[in-house]
Amino acid sequence: MSVTLRVHDLTVAYGAISAVRGVSFSVEAGELVTIIGANGAGKTTVLNALCGLRTIRGGMIEIGGEDITDMPPHERVRRGVAQVPEGRRLFGRMSVAENLEIGGYTRSDSAGKRKDLDHVLDLFPRLKERYRQLAGTLSGGEQQMVAMGRALMCRPRFLLLDEPTMGLAPQIVDLVLDAVKRVNAEGVTVLLVEQNAYRALEIADRAFVLESGEISLTGAGPDLLNHPRVRSAYLGYDE
């Protein structure tokens, strides 16, 4: 089941420094929305606030019409919110199988988990080959597949992806983004933070540009892909 996210006047600070200031946006059920921006713009901070991993100073977060602003992270997972964090953060001394199993820790439906595991292994066939291998011994691309698979094992309604293509070879970037599109096409609402602005805007229904903790531009993905300011600042084109 898809879910709608609404963020109202979100403000997050690190001590006296405001990392995100008065950010408001929505992601409608079934959309694939991306946030682009330079390093330090506040993109990861926004995602961590949505997951409950960062205390907010002001504003409100709603998922499916429910106020989750003060809800602890594990309860947000139970509401269908899953994050694929920057850097993957796998349990390196545990197998691929064990990492995937952890993704479904809030669930008690064994048959459903088995079905979702089969879906993950269908999405990423390489994980079937590496199923009993320690996650820490995998390549970067394979680790990213495990991280995405782990998030999908909680059967999310809303998937947050933080820099999923960072440091990956071009062919693995294609594989990962194809998987993101497939998951979205299956009905999961996606919010994607991505340094590769061109690839992100190519697949996004809508996009936001975050600059110095504030949203400076919004629009459809293809429209921002051709916006002079975006092309100059993020795509390397001189206008």
Side-chain angles (χ1 to χ4, degrees):
M1 181 185 297
S2 298
V3 63
T4 301
L5 164 74
R6 301 198 189 283
V7 177
H8 307 273
D9 202 25
L10 181 69
T11 298
V12 185
Y14 297 91
I17 301 173
S18 293
V20 174
R21 294 184 295 278
V23 165
S24 297
F25 64 90
S26 65
V27 181
E28 300 302 323
E31 278 194 306
L32 196 168
V33 173
T34 188
I35 302 176
I36 65 171
N39 287 333
K43 304 185 301 296
T44 294
T45 298
V46 169
L47 290 195
N48 285 340
L50 299 182
C51 290
L53 300 177
R54 178 61 58 187
T55 301
I56 72 173
R57 179 166 289 179
M60 183 171 69
I61 302 167
E62 293 181 359
I63 294 285
E66 180 180 12
D67 184 353
I68 65 165
T69 308
D70 299 317
M71 189 176 288
H74 67 277
E75 289 296 336
R76 301 187 195 206
V77 173
R78 290 193 171 96
R79 298 301 195 282
V81 181
Q83 184 183 28
V84 181
E86 181 181 357
R88 297 135 199 168
R89 299 184 188 176
L90 302 179
F91 295 95
R93 296 185 179 181
M94 297 172 65
S95 68
V96 169
E98 290 168 326
N99 273 275
L100 294 177
E101 178 66 24
I102 286 172
Y105 81 99
T106 62
R107 300 173 59 184
S108 57
D109 57 324
S110 298
K113 286 200 291 185
R114 179 69 242 182
K115 181 179 179 180
D116 288 339
L117 177 60
D118 289 343
H119 179 257
V120 167
L121 297 179
D122 176 62
L123 195 63
F124 300 115
R126 196 172 304 184
L127 297 187
K128 189 178 296 186
E129 303 168 10
R130 305 285 194 267
Y131 197 60
R132 299 298 175 188
Q133 190 169 328
L134 296 183
T137 66
L138 301 178
S139 70
E142 291 165 345
Q143 289 187 11
Q144 187 61 51
M145 295 174 202
V146 177
M148 288 183 63
R150 179 179 60 186
L152 293 173
M153 283 300 296
C154 77
R155 191 173 285 182
R157 297 184 297 165
F158 192 87
L159 184 63
L160 309 175
L161 293 151
D162 195 357
E163 305 287 7
T165 72
M166 181 179 289
L168 302 184
Q171 64 270 27
I172 304 300
V173 169
D174 290 341
L175 190 154
V176 167
L177 293 181
D178 284 346
V180 172
K181 290 189 292 183
R182 178 173 165 183
V183 167
N184 177 246
E186 291 168 350
V188 179
T189 306
V190 175
L191 180 59
L192 168 67
V193 161
E194 179 55 57
Q195 194 70 23
N196 189 333
Y198 186 89
R199 297 302 305 272
L201 293 172
E202 273 189 321
I203 67 172
D205 297 313
R206 291 188 300 119
F208 309 103
V209 178
L210 200 63
E211 295 181 329
S212 302
E214 299 178 334
I215 292 177
S216 60
L217 282 173
T218 67
D223 291 343
L224 289 189
L225 193 59
N226 294 300
H227 192 287
R229 190 164 141 204
V230 172
R231 287 170 64 85
S232 176
Y234 303 107
L235 304 181
Y237 296 103
D238 291 325
E239 297 294 339

